[in-house]
Amino acid sequence: MKTVAADDYYDLAQVENPHISPDSERVAYVEKRPTDEERYEATIHVVSLGGADPKRFTIAEGVDSEPRWSPDGEFLAFVSTRGADDDRPQLWVLPADGGEAKQVTGVGGGVSGLEWSPDGTKILFTQTVTALDREEGRDLAAEPGFEPEAPDPRVIDRMVYRAGTEYLDGKRAHVYVLDVERALETEDDRASAIERLTDGDADHVGPTWGDSETVYYARKAVEGDRSPDDSVMFDLLERDLESGSVEAFAETSGWVDSLWASTDGRVAYPFAPEDRLTLAQTQIRVHDRETGTETTPTEPLDRDLAHDGHVEWGPDGELLYFTAPDEGSVVCYSVPGDASEPPTPVYGEGVTVEDFSVGPDAIAFVQSEWDHPGDVFATTRGGNEATRLTRVNDAYLTDRAVSQPEEVWIDGDAGAIQGWVLTPPAFDEDETYPLVVEIHGGPHLQWTPAGTMWYEFQALAAAGYVVFWCNPRGSTGYGEEHMTAIERNWGDVTLSDVLAGVDDVCEREYVDESEAYVTGGSFGGFMTAWAVTRTDRFRAAVSQRGVYDLTGFYGSTDAFKLIEGDFGTTPWDEPELLWKRSPVARVADVETPTLVVHADRDYRTPANTAELFYLGLKKHGVDTRLVRYPREGHELSRSGEPAHVVDRLERIVRWFDGYSSHREAPPALERGRDEGLSGGERDESESGTSESEEPNS
C-alpha cells in the first residue's frame, strides 16, 4: 500500500463553505482541487441529507465560493471568477432545480460576504474599492476589460497599507445591496440593480440583515486625530433601507469582521477589551435593539472563539451557534441569545469542526479527523450522531496507509500539556526513528489531530519520521490562564513546554533522541528560531514565515497590534525589551543548520526580518539557505500555488534527511538546488522558488 507523499497534494480535494437548504434536505458546498502547478478549480456541489451521491452543481471554470440558498430554496447564489481575466469574483445566481447560472454583477472591486434578505428579494455583499471607483461608478458596474492600475509611484498615507498579498492602494470595504429580480431581468444595465449603502474613507465590514428592510454593519471608529488603522474600536450601525437613515447603536472592540442579526432586532457581535485585545478570549455580545440591553452569552465558557470560526443564529432566533477550540478539538456550541443558560456543546468532541450551517432540522458542517482531511457531515440540531455525506478523498485514501496519532499529556512546568505522536505507517517498534517537532503559529491558536495540518503530518510520518506536536502555553483551547501565560514573554515559556514534550517522547525506545528536528510557521517560525538560539537539542531546523525581529515586524506588518497587545508596549517605549525577546538578538549563538522559508508577498510576517535572521546565520558560519516563494503570502502552506505547497514540504524533508544518520542523503547544501525534488526537472525559471546561498555551496 502507498503512503502519503508531498506531491500527493495534487490528488487531494478540500471541502469548505457548507450551506444547508431552508428545508434541511440538501447541503451546498465547495469542492476545491489543484488543476496544475499554479491553479485550483473550485466548484459548487450539492448533496442530499437522505444519502444520495453528491452532484456537481456548477461548471468547472474558475473558482467558485460562498454558495447561499435563497430563503425559499428556489435559487442558489454564489461567487465565482469564471469568465474573468483578472480573477475578480462576481456574483452569480443559479436556479436550484438546475439550469444556467447567470452573472448578476460586474463590479470593479469583486464580491464577497453574500447574504440573502429574509424575504429573498435582495442580496447583501461587500467589495473593496477606491474613492475614484465610487466616484466613477465602477463599484456598481465596471467597463468590460477594466483593469485597475497600480500607482506609480505608490504614495502611502495610511498606517496599514497592505494586507494579505496585496497593497490596499486607497481601497476601502463598502456595503452594497442587489435587487435580485432586477438583476436577473437585465444584462445591459447591471448598475441599476445595485445600491451602495456606505461611503467615505473608512472600512465597513460584517453586513447582515435584520428584517428585509434593515441592515446592520460595523465601521472602524474615528477617534479624534487618531488614525482608524491605529484603532480597534468599531461603531455598530443600523441602516433603514426604506428611509435611508443610519443610526449608531453600540460600539465594540477587537477583531471585527462579522455581525450576526436575528429578524427581531438582536445583533450579535465579537468583543475583546481594548486593553487586553490579544490576550483576552473573544466573546460574543448580543445587543437587543428593542430594549437596548446587552448580554454576553459566551462569558461562562472559558474558551476563545475559534480562529476564522463561524457564528450563526438558529432558524428560531433563540439560540446562537458558534465554534470554539477545546483541548485539541474544535467544538460546535449553542447558547441562548439572552444568556439565560450557559453554552452547551452540540457536536465536535474529538474532531475538528471547520465550518457549519444551521437549518430548521439539521446542522451541516465540514469535519476533519485523523483518517481524512475533511468531508461534509450532518447532525440534528440537538447534536445526535453525525451522518457523513461526502467522501471526496476516498479514491485516494483507499490506496494509502494513514497513521493514527496517539494523544499524550505531558507534565510541563505549569501543568499538563496536550500533544500527539504520529509514527510512520510501516512502524516497527524494534527500529529507531528520527523525530520531527512541529510548533504551531498564532501564537494564540491550537493544533488538533486533523485540520489543515493533516497532509503535512502524514507526509512527514510517511517519510520515516516520528512527528510530535502539542499545544504549549500561549495556545487557545485550555482557558484564558493557559493562553495568557506568554504575556511579554514570547519564547521561554512556550519552549519550556515544547522541550518537556520532546523529553517525554524521546524516552520511547523507538525514538532516536540524538536526532530531533524542529519546524514551524509564523509564531512557529519565531519559536523555531528561538529554539536554535537557546539550545543545541535539534540536529537541524526549518523556520517558516517567521518573525525574527519584533521591532522590524512591528514596523512592517498589518498586525502590529499583536505586539502592543501581547507585550503591552511599542518599540519607542521599550526597545530593549523587544530586542531581547527577538530571536535575531542571539543569532551568534546558533550552531543548528537552519533552513529559512518565506513568501515574497507575505504582509502578515514580511520578509524583512527573515532576511535579517538569514544574514546573521550566514555571517556566523551556520549551514543555512533562504528559500523564497514569489506570488505567495502568509497562507503558502495551506492554499499557495500547488507546486509551491509541494516544493516547500519536500524541501523540509530534504533538509532534515541531509543531517540524519538514518538516511543516505547528503546535506541539501551539497546537492543541486532542485535535486531530489519532484519539481527538480523544471529549470529554475519555471520552478517558482528562489534560493540564497554561498556561491558553489
Side-chain angles (χ1 to χ4, degrees), residues 437-470:
V437 179
E438 289 260 16
I439 306 176
H440 72 62
H444 306 302
L445 299 173
Q446 73 155 16
W447 264 348
T448 76
T452 59
M453 294 300 294
W454 182 94
Y455 151 77
E456 181 166 326
F457 290 162
Q458 291 291 338
L460 288 171
Y465 291 88
V466 173
V467 186
F468 168 70
W469 66 97
C470 67

PDB file of all heavy atoms in Angstrom, residues 437-470:
ATOM      1  N   VAL A 437       9.672  17.760  15.353  1.00  0.00           N
ATOM      2  CA  VAL A 437       8.820  18.518  16.268  1.00  0.00           C
ATOM      3  C   VAL A 437       8.222  19.689  15.498  1.00  0.00           C
ATOM      4  O   VAL A 437       8.949  20.496  14.913  1.00  0.00           O
ATOM      5  CB  VAL A 437       9.635  19.028  17.469  1.00  0.00           C
ATOM      6  CG1 VAL A 437       8.754  19.848  18.407  1.00  0.00           C
ATOM      7  CG2 VAL A 437      10.279  17.860  18.209  1.00  0.00           C
ATOM      8  N   GLU A 438       6.905  19.778  15.476  1.00  0.00           N
ATOM      9  CA  GLU A 438       6.182  20.871  14.812  1.00  0.00           C
ATOM     10  C   GLU A 438       5.633  21.829  15.873  1.00  0.00           C
ATOM     11  O   GLU A 438       5.056  21.392  16.876  1.00  0.00           O
ATOM     12  CB  GLU A 438       5.034  20.323  13.971  1.00  0.00           C
ATOM     13  CG  GLU A 438       5.463  19.579  12.715  1.00  0.00           C
ATOM     14  CD  GLU A 438       5.354  20.463  11.468  1.00  0.00           C
ATOM     15  OE1 GLU A 438       5.241  21.695  11.630  1.00  0.00           O
ATOM     16  OE2 GLU A 438       5.364  19.901  10.354  1.00  0.00           O
ATOM     17  N   ILE A 439       5.796  23.134  15.660  1.00  0.00           N
ATOM     18  CA  ILE A 439       5.311  24.155  16.595  1.00  0.00           C
ATOM     19  C   ILE A 439       4.309  25.045  15.858  1.00  0.00           C
ATOM     20  O   ILE A 439       4.600  25.552  14.774  1.00  0.00           O
ATOM     21  CB  ILE A 439       6.466  25.005  17.145  1.00  0.00           C
ATOM     22  CG1 ILE A 439       7.547  24.103  17.762  1.00  0.00           C
ATOM     23  CG2 ILE A 439       5.944  25.989  18.192  1.00  0.00           C
ATOM     24  CD1 ILE A 439       8.772  24.864  18.248  1.00  0.00           C
ATOM     25  N   HIS A 440       3.140  25.248  16.462  1.00  0.00           N
ATOM     26  CA  HIS A 440       2.085  25.979  15.743  1.00  0.00           C
ATOM     27  C   HIS A 440       2.273  27.486  15.782  1.00  0.00           C
ATOM     28  O   HIS A 440       3.026  28.038  16.578  1.00  0.00           O
ATOM     29  CB  HIS A 440       0.692  25.581  16.237  1.00  0.00           C
ATOM     30  CG  HIS A 440       0.319  26.086  17.611  1.00  0.00           C
ATOM     31  ND1 HIS A 440       0.215  27.419  17.925  1.00  0.00           N
ATOM     32  CD2 HIS A 440      -0.029  25.421  18.746  1.00  0.00           C
ATOM     33  CE1 HIS A 440      -0.183  27.563  19.175  1.00  0.00           C
ATOM     34  NE2 HIS A 440      -0.317  26.363  19.707  1.00  0.00           N
ATOM     35  N   GLY A 441       1.547  28.163  14.889  1.00  0.00           N
ATOM     36  CA  GLY A 441       1.580  29.611  14.788  1.00  0.00           C
ATOM     37  C   GLY A 441       0.591  30.252  15.733  1.00  0.00           C
ATOM     38  O   GLY A 441       0.035  29.640  16.634  1.00  0.00           O
ATOM     39  N   GLY A 442       0.337  31.534  15.500  1.00  0.00           N
ATOM     40  CA  GLY A 442      -0.650  32.227  16.319  1.00  0.00           C
ATOM     41  C   GLY A 442      -0.139  33.558  16.884  1.00  0.00           C
ATOM     42  O   GLY A 442      -0.231  34.583  16.246  1.00  0.00           O
ATOM     43  N   PRO A 443       0.365  33.543  18.123  1.00  0.00           N
ATOM     44  CA  PRO A 443       0.583  32.369  18.972  1.00  0.00           C
ATOM     45  C   PRO A 443      -0.681  31.781  19.587  1.00  0.00           C
ATOM     46  O   PRO A 443      -0.666  30.668  20.100  1.00  0.00           O
ATOM     47  CB  PRO A 443       1.489  32.919  20.087  1.00  0.00           C
ATOM     48  CG  PRO A 443       1.138  34.369  20.192  1.00  0.00           C
ATOM     49  CD  PRO A 443       0.821  34.797  18.781  1.00  0.00           C
ATOM     50  N   HIS A 444      -1.798  32.543  19.539  1.00  0.00           N
ATOM     51  CA  HIS A 444      -2.990  32.127  20.275  1.00  0.00           C
ATOM     52  C   HIS A 444      -3.919  31.317  19.383  1.00  0.00           C
ATOM     53  O   HIS A 444      -5.012  31.751  18.985  1.00  0.00           O
ATOM     54  CB  HIS A 444      -3.680  33.351  20.865  1.00  0.00           C
ATOM     55  CG  HIS A 444      -2.764  34.202  21.690  1.00  0.00           C
ATOM     56  ND1 HIS A 444      -2.091  33.714  22.784  1.00  0.00           N
ATOM     57  CD2 HIS A 444      -2.377  35.497  21.554  1.00  0.00           C
ATOM     58  CE1 HIS A 444      -1.338  34.677  23.293  1.00  0.00           C
ATOM     59  NE2 HIS A 444      -1.495  35.774  22.570  1.00  0.00           N
ATOM     60  N   LEU A 445      -3.455  30.118  19.047  1.00  0.00           N
ATOM     61  CA  LEU A 445      -4.216  29.141  18.286  1.00  0.00           C
ATOM     62  C   LEU A 445      -4.014  27.789  18.948  1.00  0.00           C
ATOM     63  O   LEU A 445      -3.288  27.668  19.932  1.00  0.00           O
ATOM     64  CB  LEU A 445      -3.728  29.082  16.828  1.00  0.00           C
ATOM     65  CG  LEU A 445      -3.841  30.358  15.989  1.00  0.00           C
ATOM     66  CD1 LEU A 445      -3.153  30.151  14.638  1.00  0.00           C
ATOM     67  CD2 LEU A 445      -5.304  30.728  15.775  1.00  0.00           C
ATOM     68  N   GLN A 446      -4.654  26.755  18.394  1.00  0.00           N
ATOM     69  CA  GLN A 446      -4.365  25.405  18.851  1.00  0.00           C
ATOM     70  C   GLN A 446      -4.245  24.479  17.654  1.00  0.00           C
ATOM     71  O   GLN A 446      -4.756  24.758  16.572  1.00  0.00           O
ATOM     72  CB  GLN A 446      -5.467  24.878  19.777  1.00  0.00           C
ATOM     73  CG  GLN A 446      -6.760  24.523  19.062  1.00  0.00           C
ATOM     74  CD  GLN A 446      -7.617  23.489  19.772  1.00  0.00           C
ATOM     75  OE1 GLN A 446      -7.445  23.197  20.939  1.00  0.00           O
ATOM     76  NE2 GLN A 446      -8.558  22.927  19.059  1.00  0.00           N
ATOM     77  N   TRP A 447      -3.532  23.380  17.868  1.00  0.00           N
ATOM     78  CA  TRP A 447      -3.494  22.311  16.886  1.00  0.00           C
ATOM     79  C   TRP A 447      -4.369  21.160  17.333  1.00  0.00           C
ATOM     80  O   TRP A 447      -4.656  20.999  18.527  1.00  0.00           O
ATOM     81  CB  TRP A 447      -2.057  21.851  16.666  1.00  0.00           C
ATOM     82  CG  TRP A 447      -1.423  22.517  15.481  1.00  0.00           C
ATOM     83  CD1 TRP A 447      -2.052  23.259  14.523  1.00  0.00           C
ATOM     84  CD2 TRP A 447      -0.043  22.501  15.120  1.00  0.00           C
ATOM     85  NE1 TRP A 447      -1.140  23.709  13.585  1.00  0.00           N
ATOM     86  CE2 TRP A 447       0.099  23.243  13.934  1.00  0.00           C
ATOM     87  CE3 TRP A 447       1.096  21.934  15.682  1.00  0.00           C
ATOM     88  CZ2 TRP A 447       1.317  23.435  13.293  1.00  0.00           C
ATOM     89  CZ3 TRP A 447       2.309  22.114  15.047  1.00  0.00           C
ATOM     90  CH2 TRP A 447       2.423  22.857  13.857  1.00  0.00           C
ATOM     91  N   THR A 448      -4.773  20.361  16.353  1.00  0.00           N
ATOM     92  CA  THR A 448      -5.624  19.200  16.581  1.00  0.00           C
ATOM     93  C   THR A 448      -4.979  18.008  15.884  1.00  0.00           C
ATOM     94  O   THR A 448      -3.965  18.153  15.200  1.00  0.00           O
ATOM     95  CB  THR A 448      -7.031  19.441  15.997  1.00  0.00           C
ATOM     96  OG1 THR A 448      -6.980  19.307  14.560  1.00  0.00           O
ATOM     97  CG2 THR A 448      -7.568  20.824  16.343  1.00  0.00           C
ATOM     98  N   PRO A 449      -5.540  16.819  16.014  1.00  0.00           N
ATOM     99  CA  PRO A 449      -5.008  15.675  15.268  1.00  0.00           C
ATOM    100  C   PRO A 449      -5.383  15.693  13.793  1.00  0.00           C
ATOM    101  O   PRO A 449      -5.024  14.779  13.050  1.00  0.00           O
ATOM    102  CB  PRO A 449      -5.649  14.465  15.968  1.00  0.00           C
ATOM    103  CG  PRO A 449      -6.253  14.980  17.222  1.00  0.00           C
ATOM    104  CD  PRO A 449      -6.561  16.416  16.986  1.00  0.00           C
ATOM    105  N   ALA A 450      -6.124  16.711  13.363  1.00  0.00           N
ATOM    106  CA  ALA A 450      -6.613  16.751  11.979  1.00  0.00           C
ATOM    107  C   ALA A 450      -6.461  18.167  11.447  1.00  0.00           C
ATOM    108  O   ALA A 450      -5.450  18.816  11.648  1.00  0.00           O
ATOM    109  CB  ALA A 450      -8.074  16.280  11.935  1.00  0.00           C
ATOM    110  N   GLY A 451      -7.475  18.661  10.751  1.00  0.00           N
ATOM    111  CA  GLY A 451      -7.448  20.029  10.270  1.00  0.00           C
ATOM    112  C   GLY A 451      -6.469  20.251   9.131  1.00  0.00           C
ATOM    113  O   GLY A 451      -6.113  19.327   8.388  1.00  0.00           O
ATOM    114  N   THR A 452      -5.992  21.488   9.021  1.00  0.00           N
ATOM    115  CA  THR A 452      -5.178  21.879   7.867  1.00  0.00           C
ATOM    116  C   THR A 452      -3.805  21.226   7.865  1.00  0.00           C
ATOM    117  O   THR A 452      -3.116  21.245   6.847  1.00  0.00           O
ATOM    118  CB  THR A 452      -4.994  23.404   7.834  1.00  0.00           C
ATOM    119  OG1 THR A 452      -4.365  23.831   9.050  1.00  0.00           O
ATOM    120  CG2 THR A 452      -6.341  24.113   7.690  1.00  0.00           C
ATOM    121  N   MET A 453      -3.364  20.635   8.984  1.00  0.00           N
ATOM    122  CA  MET A 453      -2.041  20.026   9.048  1.00  0.00           C
ATOM    123  C   MET A 453      -2.063  18.542   8.717  1.00  0.00           C
ATOM    124  O   MET A 453      -1.003  17.887   8.756  1.00  0.00           O
ATOM    125  CB  MET A 453      -1.431  20.249  10.428  1.00  0.00           C
ATOM    126  CG  MET A 453      -1.128  21.696  10.742  1.00  0.00           C
ATOM    127  SD  MET A 453       0.049  22.459   9.586  1.00  0.00           S
ATOM    128  CE  MET A 453       1.526  21.531   9.940  1.00  0.00           C
ATOM    129  N   TRP A 454      -3.208  17.974   8.407  1.00  0.00           N
ATOM    130  CA  TRP A 454      -3.317  16.532   8.159  1.00  0.00           C
ATOM    131  C   TRP A 454      -2.304  16.075   7.118  1.00  0.00           C
ATOM    132  O   TRP A 454      -1.548  15.123   7.337  1.00  0.00           O
ATOM    133  CB  TRP A 454      -4.739  16.196   7.705  1.00  0.00           C
ATOM    134  CG  TRP A 454      -4.976  14.739   7.459  1.00  0.00           C
ATOM    135  CD1 TRP A 454      -5.474  13.832   8.354  1.00  0.00           C
ATOM    136  CD2 TRP A 454      -4.746  14.007   6.252  1.00  0.00           C
ATOM    137  NE1 TRP A 454      -5.547  12.589   7.786  1.00  0.00           N
ATOM    138  CE2 TRP A 454      -5.105  12.665   6.490  1.00  0.00           C
ATOM    139  CE3 TRP A 454      -4.262  14.352   4.994  1.00  0.00           C
ATOM    140  CZ2 TRP A 454      -4.999  11.673   5.513  1.00  0.00           C
ATOM    141  CZ3 TRP A 454      -4.150  13.365   4.020  1.00  0.00           C
ATOM    142  CH2 TRP A 454      -4.515  12.048   4.273  1.00  0.00           C
ATOM    143  N   TYR A 455      -2.281  16.751   5.997  1.00  0.00           N
ATOM    144  CA  TYR A 455      -1.412  16.365   4.880  1.00  0.00           C
ATOM    145  C   TYR A 455       0.056  16.433   5.276  1.00  0.00           C
ATOM    146  O   TYR A 455       0.837  15.510   5.013  1.00  0.00           O
ATOM    147  CB  TYR A 455      -1.733  17.264   3.687  1.00  0.00           C
ATOM    148  CG  TYR A 455      -0.631  17.541   2.711  1.00  0.00           C
ATOM    149  CD1 TYR A 455      -0.242  16.587   1.773  1.00  0.00           C
ATOM    150  CD2 TYR A 455       0.009  18.780   2.695  1.00  0.00           C
ATOM    151  CE1 TYR A 455       0.765  16.860   0.848  1.00  0.00           C
ATOM    152  CE2 TYR A 455       1.010  19.057   1.776  1.00  0.00           C
ATOM    153  CZ  TYR A 455       1.390  18.094   0.855  1.00  0.00           C
ATOM    154  OH  TYR A 455       2.376  18.366  -0.056  1.00  0.00           O
ATOM    155  N   GLU A 456       0.461  17.507   5.938  1.00  0.00           N
ATOM    156  CA  GLU A 456       1.873  17.676   6.287  1.00  0.00           C
ATOM    157  C   GLU A 456       2.321  16.659   7.322  1.00  0.00           C
ATOM    158  O   GLU A 456       3.385  16.043   7.192  1.00  0.00           O
ATOM    159  CB  GLU A 456       2.125  19.092   6.791  1.00  0.00           C
ATOM    160  CG  GLU A 456       3.578  19.354   7.149  1.00  0.00           C
ATOM    161  CD  GLU A 456       3.893  20.832   7.313  1.00  0.00           C
ATOM    162  OE1 GLU A 456       3.292  21.653   6.596  1.00  0.00           O
ATOM    163  OE2 GLU A 456       4.743  21.154   8.167  1.00  0.00           O
ATOM    164  N   PHE A 457       1.533  16.457   8.377  1.00  0.00           N
ATOM    165  CA  PHE A 457       1.904  15.490   9.406  1.00  0.00           C
ATOM    166  C   PHE A 457       2.024  14.087   8.823  1.00  0.00           C
ATOM    167  O   PHE A 457       2.975  13.354   9.115  1.00  0.00           O
ATOM    168  CB  PHE A 457       0.875  15.499  10.530  1.00  0.00           C
ATOM    169  CG  PHE A 457       0.884  16.744  11.382  1.00  0.00           C
ATOM    170  CD1 PHE A 457      -0.199  17.050  12.185  1.00  0.00           C
ATOM    171  CD2 PHE A 457       1.963  17.613  11.396  1.00  0.00           C
ATOM    172  CE1 PHE A 457      -0.205  18.181  12.985  1.00  0.00           C
ATOM    173  CE2 PHE A 457       1.977  18.752  12.185  1.00  0.00           C
ATOM    174  CZ  PHE A 457       0.876  19.038  12.980  1.00  0.00           C
ATOM    175  N   GLN A 458       1.033  13.702   7.999  1.00  0.00           N
ATOM    176  CA  GLN A 458       1.053  12.358   7.429  1.00  0.00           C
ATOM    177  C   GLN A 458       2.232  12.178   6.477  1.00  0.00           C
ATOM    178  O   GLN A 458       2.862  11.115   6.441  1.00  0.00           O
ATOM    179  CB  GLN A 458      -0.266  12.066   6.712  1.00  0.00           C
ATOM    180  CG  GLN A 458      -1.467  11.915   7.631  1.00  0.00           C
ATOM    181  CD  GLN A 458      -1.420  10.658   8.489  1.00  0.00           C
ATOM    182  OE1 GLN A 458      -0.736   9.689   8.163  1.00  0.00           O
ATOM    183  NE2 GLN A 458      -2.158  10.674   9.591  1.00  0.00           N
ATOM    184  N   ALA A 459       2.563  13.201   5.693  1.00  0.00           N
ATOM    185  CA  ALA A 459       3.676  13.094   4.752  1.00  0.00           C
ATOM    186  C   ALA A 459       5.012  12.993   5.485  1.00  0.00           C
ATOM    187  O   ALA A 459       5.910  12.251   5.068  1.00  0.00           O
ATOM    188  CB  ALA A 459       3.679  14.288   3.801  1.00  0.00           C
ATOM    189  N   LEU A 460       5.181  13.731   6.586  1.00  0.00           N
ATOM    190  CA  LEU A 460       6.411  13.635   7.364  1.00  0.00           C
ATOM    191  C   LEU A 460       6.555  12.248   7.987  1.00  0.00           C
ATOM    192  O   LEU A 460       7.651  11.667   8.001  1.00  0.00           O
ATOM    193  CB  LEU A 460       6.436  14.714   8.444  1.00  0.00           C
ATOM    194  CG  LEU A 460       6.655  16.150   7.973  1.00  0.00           C
ATOM    195  CD1 LEU A 460       6.437  17.127   9.120  1.00  0.00           C
ATOM    196  CD2 LEU A 460       8.047  16.330   7.385  1.00  0.00           C
ATOM    197  N   ALA A 461       5.448  11.698   8.507  1.00  0.00           N
ATOM    198  CA  ALA A 461       5.499  10.350   9.067  1.00  0.00           C
ATOM    199  C   ALA A 461       5.820   9.332   7.985  1.00  0.00           C
ATOM    200  O   ALA A 461       6.618   8.406   8.188  1.00  0.00           O
ATOM    201  CB  ALA A 461       4.175  10.018   9.749  1.00  0.00           C
ATOM    202  N   ALA A 462       5.209   9.498   6.816  1.00  0.00           N
ATOM    203  CA  ALA A 462       5.469   8.569   5.710  1.00  0.00           C
ATOM    204  C   ALA A 462       6.907   8.657   5.224  1.00  0.00           C
ATOM    205  O   ALA A 462       7.439   7.700   4.652  1.00  0.00           O
ATOM    206  CB  ALA A 462       4.507   8.851   4.563  1.00  0.00           C
ATOM    207  N   ALA A 463       7.567   9.792   5.469  1.00  0.00           N
ATOM    208  CA  ALA A 463       8.974   9.949   5.094  1.00  0.00           C
ATOM    209  C   ALA A 463       9.917   9.296   6.103  1.00  0.00           C
ATOM    210  O   ALA A 463      11.137   9.381   5.951  1.00  0.00           O
ATOM    211  CB  ALA A 463       9.307  11.435   4.951  1.00  0.00           C
ATOM    212  N   GLY A 464       9.349   8.662   7.139  1.00  0.00           N
ATOM    213  CA  GLY A 464      10.153   7.915   8.084  1.00  0.00           C
ATOM    214  C   GLY A 464      10.445   8.621   9.388  1.00  0.00           C
ATOM    215  O   GLY A 464      11.327   8.195  10.147  1.00  0.00           O
ATOM    216  N   TYR A 465       9.694   9.664   9.709  1.00  0.00           N
ATOM    217  CA  TYR A 465       9.899  10.407  10.940  1.00  0.00           C
ATOM    218  C   TYR A 465       8.747  10.150  11.915  1.00  0.00           C
ATOM    219  O   TYR A 465       7.585  10.029  11.509  1.00  0.00           O
ATOM    220  CB  TYR A 465       9.983  11.908  10.658  1.00  0.00           C
ATOM    221  CG  TYR A 465      11.232  12.310   9.906  1.00  0.00           C
ATOM    222  CD1 TYR A 465      11.262  12.304   8.508  1.00  0.00           C
ATOM    223  CD2 TYR A 465      12.386  12.677  10.586  1.00  0.00           C
ATOM    224  CE1 TYR A 465      12.411  12.657   7.810  1.00  0.00           C
ATOM    225  CE2 TYR A 465      13.542  13.037   9.896  1.00  0.00           C
ATOM    226  CZ  TYR A 465      13.545  13.019   8.512  1.00  0.00           C
ATOM    227  OH  TYR A 465      14.691  13.364   7.838  1.00  0.00           O
ATOM    228  N   VAL A 466       9.084  10.084  13.200  1.00  0.00           N
ATOM    229  CA  VAL A 466       8.068  10.229  14.230  1.00  0.00           C
ATOM    230  C   VAL A 466       7.778  11.726  14.334  1.00  0.00           C
ATOM    231  O   VAL A 466       8.707  12.545  14.359  1.00  0.00           O
ATOM    232  CB  VAL A 466       8.561   9.678  15.579  1.00  0.00           C
ATOM    233  CG1 VAL A 466       7.563   9.992  16.692  1.00  0.00           C
ATOM    234  CG2 VAL A 466       8.778   8.169  15.484  1.00  0.00           C
ATOM    235  N   VAL A 467       6.507  12.087  14.373  1.00  0.00           N
ATOM    236  CA  VAL A 467       6.120  13.500  14.399  1.00  0.00           C
ATOM    237  C   VAL A 467       5.452  13.803  15.738  1.00  0.00           C
ATOM    238  O   VAL A 467       4.573  13.053  16.187  1.00  0.00           O
ATOM    239  CB  VAL A 467       5.158  13.846  13.244  1.00  0.00           C
ATOM    240  CG1 VAL A 467       4.890  15.352  13.199  1.00  0.00           C
ATOM    241  CG2 VAL A 467       5.726  13.367  11.905  1.00  0.00           C
ATOM    242  N   PHE A 468       5.873  14.882  16.366  1.00  0.00           N
ATOM    243  CA  PHE A 468       5.287  15.314  17.633  1.00  0.00           C
ATOM    244  C   PHE A 468       4.830  16.759  17.513  1.00  0.00           C
ATOM    245  O   PHE A 468       5.547  17.610  17.002  1.00  0.00           O
ATOM    246  CB  PHE A 468       6.309  15.203  18.770  1.00  0.00           C
ATOM    247  CG  PHE A 468       5.868  15.882  20.042  1.00  0.00           C
ATOM    248  CD1 PHE A 468       4.825  15.375  20.805  1.00  0.00           C
ATOM    249  CD2 PHE A 468       6.491  17.058  20.474  1.00  0.00           C
ATOM    250  CE1 PHE A 468       4.413  16.012  21.969  1.00  0.00           C
ATOM    251  CE2 PHE A 468       6.090  17.693  21.636  1.00  0.00           C
ATOM    252  CZ  PHE A 468       5.051  17.171  22.383  1.00  0.00           C
ATOM    253  N   TRP A 469       3.608  17.016  17.980  1.00  0.00           N
ATOM    254  CA  TRP A 469       3.120  18.396  18.069  1.00  0.00           C
ATOM    255  C   TRP A 469       2.302  18.543  19.345  1.00  0.00           C
ATOM    256  O   TRP A 469       1.773  17.557  19.876  1.00  0.00           O
ATOM    257  CB  TRP A 469       2.326  18.798  16.836  1.00  0.00           C
ATOM    258  CG  TRP A 469       1.024  18.073  16.597  1.00  0.00           C
ATOM    259  CD1 TRP A 469      -0.243  18.477  16.929  1.00  0.00           C
ATOM    260  CD2 TRP A 469       0.858  16.808  15.933  1.00  0.00           C
ATOM    261  NE1 TRP A 469      -1.189  17.564  16.517  1.00  0.00           N
ATOM    262  CE2 TRP A 469      -0.545  16.533  15.895  1.00  0.00           C
ATOM    263  CE3 TRP A 469       1.731  15.878  15.365  1.00  0.00           C
ATOM    264  CZ2 TRP A 469      -1.074  15.363  15.326  1.00  0.00           C
ATOM    265  CZ3 TRP A 469       1.205  14.719  14.795  1.00  0.00           C
ATOM    266  CH2 TRP A 469      -0.175  14.475  14.783  1.00  0.00           C
ATOM    267  N   CYS A 470       2.202  19.750  19.851  1.00  0.00           N
ATOM    268  CA  CYS A 470       1.492  19.962  21.113  1.00  0.00           C
ATOM    269  C   CYS A 470       0.909  21.370  21.143  1.00  0.00           C
ATOM    270  O   CYS A 470       1.136  22.180  20.246  1.00  0.00           O
ATOM    271  CB  CYS A 470       2.420  19.736  22.301  1.00  0.00           C
ATOM    272  SG  CYS A 470       3.757  20.955  22.473  1.00  0.00           S
TER     273      CYS A 470
END
